[in-house]
Amino acid sequence: MPPRSNSDVRFTSSTVKIHPLSGRNPPPPPPPPFLPHNLLAQLARTKFCSISLLPSQASMPPPRRNSDVRITSSTVKIPPLSDHNLPPPPPPFLAHNLLSQLARAKSSFDNILDSLISRSLGSIRRHSGARSLRSPLLCSASLSLTGSQPRRQSILCSASLALSQPADSGPPEASVVTQQKSGGHSVSRGDEERVLISEVLVKNKDGEELERKDLEAEAMAALKACRPNSALTVQEVQEDVHRIIDSGYFSSCMPVAVDTRDGIRLVFQVEPNQEFQGVVCEGASVLPTKFLEDAFRYEYGKVVNVRRLDDAITAVNGWYMERGLFGLVSGVEILSGGIIRVQVAEAEVNDISIRFLDRRTGEPTKGKTKPETILRQLTTKKGQVYSMIQGKRDVDTVLTMGIMEDVSIIPQPAGDTGKVDLIMNVVERPSGGFSAGGGISSGFAYSHRNVFGRNQKLNISLERGQIDSIYRVNYTDPWIEGDDKRTSRTIMVQNSRTPGNLVHGNQPGDSSLTIGRVTAGIEFSRPLRPKWSGTTGVIFQHAGVRDEKANPIIKDRYSSPLTASGKPHDDTLLAKLETVYTGSGDHGSSMFVFNMEQGLPLWPEWLFFNRVTARARKGVEIGPALFLLSVSGGHVVGKFSPHEAFAIGGTNSVRGYEEGAVGSGRSYVVGSGELSFPLLGPVEGVIFSDYGTDLGSGPTVPGDPAGARLKPGSGYGYGFGVRVDSPLGPLRLEYAFNDRRAKRFHFGVGHRN
């Protein structure tokens, strides 16, 4: 029997609750790699919405005009992270667990749909006169009604869903229905019934006018399909419900259809979010309170909009990512009174262990280094929120110990504690051994990099050339046990012979002088601030000059004294203080060194003087080229050995002059500018200019050795050259001109001092 009217048709959709982190907003920064298991699992659990579609539990009376057709959908909760905001896949060691959760979530959703179909059987009955029919199937997944009345095709008019009745011989299935117009309220489109809507309104949850018209305008602007004088399906209405929620201003939305004199009126009953009054953060131990307040500052007093709220959460997650910290916002809740509670998950370090790996097979093995020697180098400690940036610095620090070939840190989840265990894999280098060489100079050396497994270093070497020679014993403890300031200690004994031609050259018959020094001392060093270090120590030196026959002499050919005491040897006890600043450590980075030595006259014969030196370097990149500016200088006050005067000129001073040919004095200043640029592979070209002066202090050196040899006291040089990177360091070949029109080749190994 055809229906008379659609007066009692009602569309009801349940409340749609949205979590503050929903919507199609830009995704938050991905979680750091190796995020602990429980933290990733918590994020994974928030990705899936739980949907259950519940049919009406009340028995339905026999409808005469389809007046009691009712479709009820349960609450649809939209999670904190929508499908558009999924973070990147979890690390490999979490993949199995996360995939199993995904499978369980999918299985749960399938079970809900299966149970819906079975539970919907018998939920709707159709009656025609006194004849009762069997309950048709309510297929909620496709939102269609299927009946089973034999040999009769009836039509559901007005506001019904697509109602079809297949033949007895086949299984129930949806079929296309030709909709007949009844009262001008409905139109058929395809296999889903459409209802003609005459008016669309937005009101509060009680059906009254919204107090704020701007919110009403936001809701109306979000609608896409629901317009006055349009024919709608339930699917289109539900989509507009989600669009209203996606606008971010509302926590719930319920569409209600009311039949009026002018037609069906569709009312969206919405519940606006509260006005934001404050924020409470839980679980954050390193996140600054001021940063959190600033992130939400512009939301105070405004209606909470989850889209803008998501921007604030993204800023918080970005703060963690910029610092490499294992932390992110795991949940947001809007409390009564407009207070937003932000839950932060931070992964603290639970334990740190050292695992030694064989350098050939990569399998775990027993190491020679004591684990506490490595652990004390780390700035990452138990109980701290793990930082990948800090971990990288720790890896670099362990590598600079000089006893490791390879170092890496692997974070692992510490069970279900929400913390992380750190495993540091280390591959040890060979501890050391003997080495020998021959040629223009010959020698041998023995070194041990890891004495007693404590990173203590022993070096014994003997080198001998045609003129010079050096015998050295060094023992270094890079971190004194029990010291919390990372203080190192070096004990040194050295016997050396070096040419004395820098100050007292041009001996008769081209004979040469050699300066012999026996030195012993102890030094202590420690970091002062980032990029700053300091060194202090006491050094005793016994020095004298010998001729080419190894006979001690006290004057040169110009009768200039060679010692300050007038004896064959000068004895000096030096107190040393040095401060060093280094930038990135590269050759082009900034550098500053200040050194002061004070002679302590504990015996009357011991020398008493003060020597101060300083040098600085600054590099500036100009496209592919590098401009390097360096300057050095020094001054000596008191009684000192003449051969200790500052010598100017040479490969590492003013190029274009021989070694020490510019001058020697109590004071000096040398400046240099270089422009280096790549040529081919490891080859670089360089253009340079140098200048040096003794500041007129040459005559103040005992015996005036520079004046006796007619050294100018100042000069400059310029030229060009090439440099090649090699295992020994940069090999430098330079051709220079000086201010006296002399030309000279210079060859050196390593960067200029």
Side-chain angles (χ1 to χ4, degrees):
M1 184 175 69
R4 304 179 196 171
S5 68
N6 300 315
S7 59
D8 296 327
V9 174
R10 183 181 181 188
F11 290 82
T12 303
S13 173
S14 66
T15 302
V16 180
K17 296 184 178 179
I18 185 166
H19 194 280
L21 285 182
S22 68
R24 306 176 187 269
N25 296 323
F34 312 113
L35 202 62
H37 166 75
N38 65 326
L39 185 54
L40 274 180
Q42 180 180 1
L43 291 177
R45 288 196 297 270
T46 64
K47 296 174 188 175
F48 305 99
C49 60
S50 175
I51 304 177
S52 60
L53 303 178
L54 304 179
S56 175
Q57 301 298 323
S59 60
M60 303 180 64
R64 289 178 296 176
R65 299 170 301 174
N66 302 322
S67 59
D68 293 329
V69 175
R70 185 178 181 185
I71 303 171
T72 304
S73 169
S74 70
T75 300
V76 180
K77 295 184 178 179
I78 299 179
L81 292 178
S82 67
D83 291 341
H84 299 279
N85 295 331
L86 292 179
F93 64 84
L94 293 177
H96 174 74
N97 183 62
L98 186 54
L99 287 176
S100 64
Q101 292 188 18
L102 289 170
R104 288 197 299 270
K106 181 180 182 301
S107 176
S108 175
F109 183 75
D110 293 340
N111 291 338
I112 290 172
L113 292 179
D114 292 340
S115 64
L116 167 66
I117 296 174
S118 61
R119 290 165 58 187
S120 299
L121 291 174
S123 62
I124 297 182
R125 297 177 181 272
R126 291 195 62 205
H127 294 265
S128 177
R131 183 177 179 182
S132 176
L133 303 179
R134 287 185 176 181
S135 303
L137 172 65
L138 174 62
C139 182
S140 298
S142 62
L143 295 179
S144 64
L145 290 175
T146 305
S148 59
Q149 185 177 0
R151 297 181 304 276
R152 186 175 180 181
Q153 182 78 23
S154 63
I155 300 175
L156 179 65
C157 301
S158 301
S160 70
L161 296 174
L163 178 61
S164 62
Q165 297 167 333
D168 292 339
S169 59
E173 60 182 9
S175 61
V176 178
V177 177
T178 303
Q179 178 65 36
Q180 296 180 356
K181 184 175 180 182
S182 176
H185 290 293
S186 64
V187 179
S188 174
R189 297 289 178 87
D191 60 352
E192 190 172 2
E193 193 70 23
R194 291 183 174 271
V195 179
L196 187 61
I197 302 298
S198 63
E199 187 178 8
V200 179
L201 299 177
V202 175
K203 296 188 177 183
N204 64 18
K205 62 180 181 178
D206 297 324
E208 300 174 352
E209 295 290 334
L210 285 174
E211 295 181 1
R212 297 187 54 166
K213 295 302 180 181
D214 57 335
L215 295 181
E216 180 179 345
E218 291 287 347
M220 293 296 295
L223 300 178
K224 181 178 180 181
C226 297
R227 300 293 182 184
N229 300 320
S230 59
L232 306 175
T233 64
V234 173
Q235 178 69 23
E236 291 174 333
V237 173
Q238 286 287 65
E239 289 175 354
D240 272 354
V241 167
H242 283 275
R243 291 188 182 99
I244 291 177
I245 293 299
D246 288 344
S247 68
Y249 288 101
F250 307 97
S251 59
S252 67
C253 178
M254 177 182 295
V256 177
V258 181
D259 198 2
T260 66
R261 178 185 307 173
D262 298 327
I264 294 180
R265 174 189 299 158
L266 181 59
V267 180
F268 290 94
Q269 295 182 355
V270 297
E271 182 178 0
N273 293 327
Q274 305 177 62
E275 290 187 359
F276 178 62
Q277 299 298 331
V279 60
V280 176
C281 187
E282 297 178 357
S285 60
V286 296
L287 181 66
T289 302
K290 187 177 185 304
F291 180 86
L292 186 66
E293 292 176 350
D294 291 343
F296 289 88
R297 181 181 303 277
Y298 298 104
E299 300 300 320
Y300 281 95
K302 300 179 182 179
V303 173
V304 175
N305 184 297
V306 293
R307 289 178 175 270
R308 295 198 300 266
L309 182 62
D310 187 54
D311 293 339
I313 300 307
T314 300
V316 174
N317 288 338
W319 185 90
Y320 282 99
M321 289 299 296
E322 289 173 2
R323 290 153 183 80
L325 294 169
F326 273 26
L328 70 149
V329 176
S330 59
V332 177
E333 184 179 0
I334 302 178
L335 305 176
S336 61
I339 302 298
I340 294 180
R341 179 167 61 191
V342 179
Q343 185 70 34
V344 175
E346 296 178 342
E348 295 181 354
V349 177
N350 179 65
D351 188 34
I352 306 175
S353 58
I354 306 298
R355 180 166 60 191
F356 295 91
L357 302 179
D358 187 89
R359 61 195 303 263
R360 294 184 178 86
T361 65
E363 298 296 326
T365 185
K366 184 178 180 180
K368 299 178 181 179
T369 307
K370 296 184 179 299
E372 57 269 20
T373 301
I374 302 175
L375 291 174
R376 68 179 181 177
Q377 300 284 341
L378 308 182
T379 58
T380 301
K381 304 297 181 183
K382 296 180 182 180
Q384 293 180 350
V385 177
Y386 180 60
S387 168
M388 292 183 292
I389 297 177
Q390 190 175 7
K392 182 181 182 302
R393 287 199 298 262
D394 287 338
V395 168
D396 294 339
T397 299
V398 174
L399 286 174
T400 56
M401 295 170 64
I403 59 176
M404 299 301 170
E405 194 171 272
D406 186 53
V407 181
S408 62
I409 292 181
I410 300 178
Q412 299 279 3
D416 295 330
T417 62
K419 298 183 179 181
V420 61
D421 289 334
L422 301 181
I423 300 176
M424 175 171 279
N425 291 330
V426 296
V427 178
E428 292 181 301
R429 297 174 61 186
S431 298
F434 288 94
S435 63
I440 298 178
S441 62
S442 60
F444 79 95
Y446 171 78
S447 63
H448 198 295
R449 302 185 184 92
N450 197 10
V451 180
F452 308 124
R454 297 185 178 276
N455 194 32
Q456 298 175 3
K457 306 181 188 302
L458 174 65
N459 292 285
I460 302 174
S461 62
L462 173 61
E463 298 178 14
R464 186 175 183 85
Q466 294 179 336
I467 300 176
D468 56 343
S469 64
I470 182 170
Y471 175 77
R472 181 189 297 117
V473 178
N474 272 31
Y475 184 80
T476 301
D477 184 355
W479 192 336
I480 301 175
E481 186 175 0
D483 180 78
D484 60 348
K485 303 295 185 182
R486 305 174 67 93
T487 303
S488 65
R489 175 180 56 220
T490 299
I491 300 173
M492 175 265 298
V493 177
Q494 179 176 293
N495 186 350
S496 65
R497 290 182 179 274
T498 58
N501 295 334
L502 293 180
V503 178
H504 298 88
N506 300 326
Q507 290 295 108
D510 291 331
S511 61
S512 59
L513 302 177
T514 58
I515 302 173
R517 297 181 177 89
V518 177
T519 306
I522 182 171
E523 293 182 351
F524 297 89
S525 300
R526 70 168 48 167
L528 302 178
R529 297 179 59 187
K531 301 182 180 181
W532 286 89
S533 63
T535 301
T536 184
V538 177
I539 301 172
F540 178 80
Q541 178 177 279
H542 177 78
V545 182
R546 296 176 179 269
D547 60 17
E548 58 184 359
K549 297 181 179 180
N551 297 318
I553 56 178
I554 61 175
K555 291 187 178 182
D556 63 9
R557 63 171 293 189
Y558 298 100
S559 298
S560 299
L562 298 174
T563 61
S565 62
K567 299 179 180 180
H569 297 90
D570 287 333
D571 295 327
T572 308
L573 181 65
L574 294 173
K576 176 183 177 181
L577 180 65
E578 184 178 72
T579 301
V580 179
Y581 169 85
T582 55
S584 62
D586 298 333
H587 175 60
S589 64
S590 300
M591 181 270 294
F592 174 76
V593 179
F594 175 82
N595 182 285
M596 183 176 67
E597 296 175 336
Q598 176 64 54
L600 304 176
L602 300 185
W603 293 95
E605 296 84 3
W606 291 4
L607 302 184
F608 177 59
F609 64 91
N610 180 273
R611 177 165 50 208
V612 176
T613 60
R615 64 180 187 271
R617 180 185 66 205
K618 176 65 176 179
V620 179
E621 293 185 356
I622 306 175
L626 174 66
F627 178 73
L628 192 65
L629 179 66
S630 61
V631 61
S632 61
H635 183 66
V636 182
V637 176
K639 186 179 181 181
F640 71 105
S641 301
H643 57 77
E644 297 285 355
F646 297 113
I648 308 170
T651 302
N652 291 316
S653 181
V654 179
R655 285 161 287 192
Y657 282 90
E658 295 183 10
E659 301 296 323
V662 174
S664 56
R666 285 180 176 265
S667 305
Y668 88 102
V669 172
V670 171
S672 176
E674 294 183 349
L675 181 65
S676 59
F677 45 89
L679 293 178
L680 181 62
V683 181
E684 287 185 339
V686 61
I687 301 173
F688 60 84
S689 177
D690 306 324
Y691 175 80
T693 176
D694 63 6
L695 300 176
S697 63
T700 63
V701 178
D704 188 14
R709 291 160 177 80
L710 303 178
K711 296 181 180 181
S714 64
Y716 64 86
Y718 56 92
F720 56 90
V722 294
R723 296 175 183 173
V724 181
D725 284 335
S726 73
L728 300 177
L731 302 180
R732 299 185 286 126
L733 179 61
E734 298 160 338
Y735 188 66
F737 307 84
N738 64 23
D739 53 336
R740 298 194 171 191
R741 300 183 180 180
K743 299 177 285 291
R744 185 176 182 85
F745 278 102
H746 294 273
F747 178 77
V749 179
H751 296 292
R752 298 180 72 242
N753 296 327

